[in-house]
Amino acid sequence: VHGEQIQKMASQTIKEFDAALQKIENIIAQGRASGSTVHHQQKTSAGPPPPPPPSLPTNLPTLSSSSQQQSNTGGSMSADLLNEINQGRDILKKLKPAGTTQVEHKEKPLNEVQKKETNKAAQPVVQKDPKRYLEKDTWKIENFIGDHSIVIEEQDISMRNAVQINDCQDCTVTINGKLKAIVLSLSLIHI
């Protein structure tokens, strides 16, 4: 019953809003038909009226044809500049190509990049010892490669614990129970 009362009140409110909106639309339509406009009354207690807007300087160049004629006949430098700006992409035709000595390359030459890559490949990869340990509330599993028998049993974990797996490749980690979180970092594993 309470829901029906709310629906009736909402329906009544919407009808009243529609009626008020219709009255406003009628007033606006009548004003347009008669050509009248709405004027707001200005408060007289607000103080003196604001100052008039500043006048524009009279020596500004204009983009009229007379300013273009002045620039062609040796007019002001600012008018010449505006004329060049108004050329758009046509101004690029006046540019001269830069010589190879004038160009500074920000990118390194390709042969230097290749040398660095071969140096990186020549460095041996140091294999760290695999570790599985509990640090505070986080089980850490690190540096395992190809091990598919990593298991964390239900009696070893709780909802306060998390598991963090770092630098493991081609491994399977089985977690029997519920955890707060699992964090994977640079790992290629099966969970």
Side-chain angles (χ1 to χ4, degrees), residues 98-110 112:
T100 56
T101 58
Q102 296 171 330
V103 177
E104 293 182 21
H105 290 287
K106 293 184 180 179
E107 296 179 11
K108 296 178 182 176
L110 186 59
E112 288 182 24

Side-chain angles (χ1 to χ4, degrees), residues 32 46 56 63 73 80 83 87 139 150 157 172 174 179 183-184:
R32 286 186 184 153
L56 294 175
L63 298 177
T73 61
D80 290 340
N83 190 22
Q87 288 179 6
W139 278 99
I150 304 169
I157 60 173
T172 302
T174 306
L179 295 169
V183 179
L184 301 175

Side-chain angles (χ1 to χ4, degrees), residues 86-106:
N86 286 333
Q87 288 179 6
R89 291 201 178 266
D90 291 339
I91 194 136
L92 296 175
K93 294 176 183 175
K94 294 181 182 180
L95 296 177
K96 297 177 186 176
T100 56
T101 58
Q102 296 171 330
V103 177
E104 293 182 21
H105 290 287
K106 293 184 180 179

Side-chain angles (χ1 to χ4, degrees), residues 7-25:
Q7 259 185 336
K8 287 180 184 179
M9 289 174 37
S11 176
Q12 181 63 28
T13 304
I14 291 172
K15 287 179 185 177
E16 291 172 1
F17 179 76
D18 284 340
L21 186 60
Q22 187 63 35
K23 287 180 184 178
I24 292 172
E25 289 175 352

Side-chain angles (χ1 to χ4, degrees), residues 24-89:
I24 292 172
E25 289 175 352
N26 290 338
I27 292 171
I28 292 172
Q30 289 174 357
R32 286 186 184 153
S34 65
S36 65
T37 59
V38 178
H39 296 285
H40 296 285
Q41 293 180 349
Q42 200 172 27
K43 295 181 181 179
T44 56
S45 63
S55 61
L56 294 175
T58 57
N59 59 352
L60 287 179
T62 60
L63 298 177
S64 66
S65 60
S66 62
S67 66
Q68 290 176 355
Q69 289 174 355
Q70 285 179 352
S71 66
N72 292 338
T73 61
S76 68
M77 291 177 61
S78 61
D80 290 340
L81 177 63
L82 286 174
N83 190 22
E84 285 185 13
I85 291 172
N86 286 333
Q87 288 179 6
R89 291 201 178 266

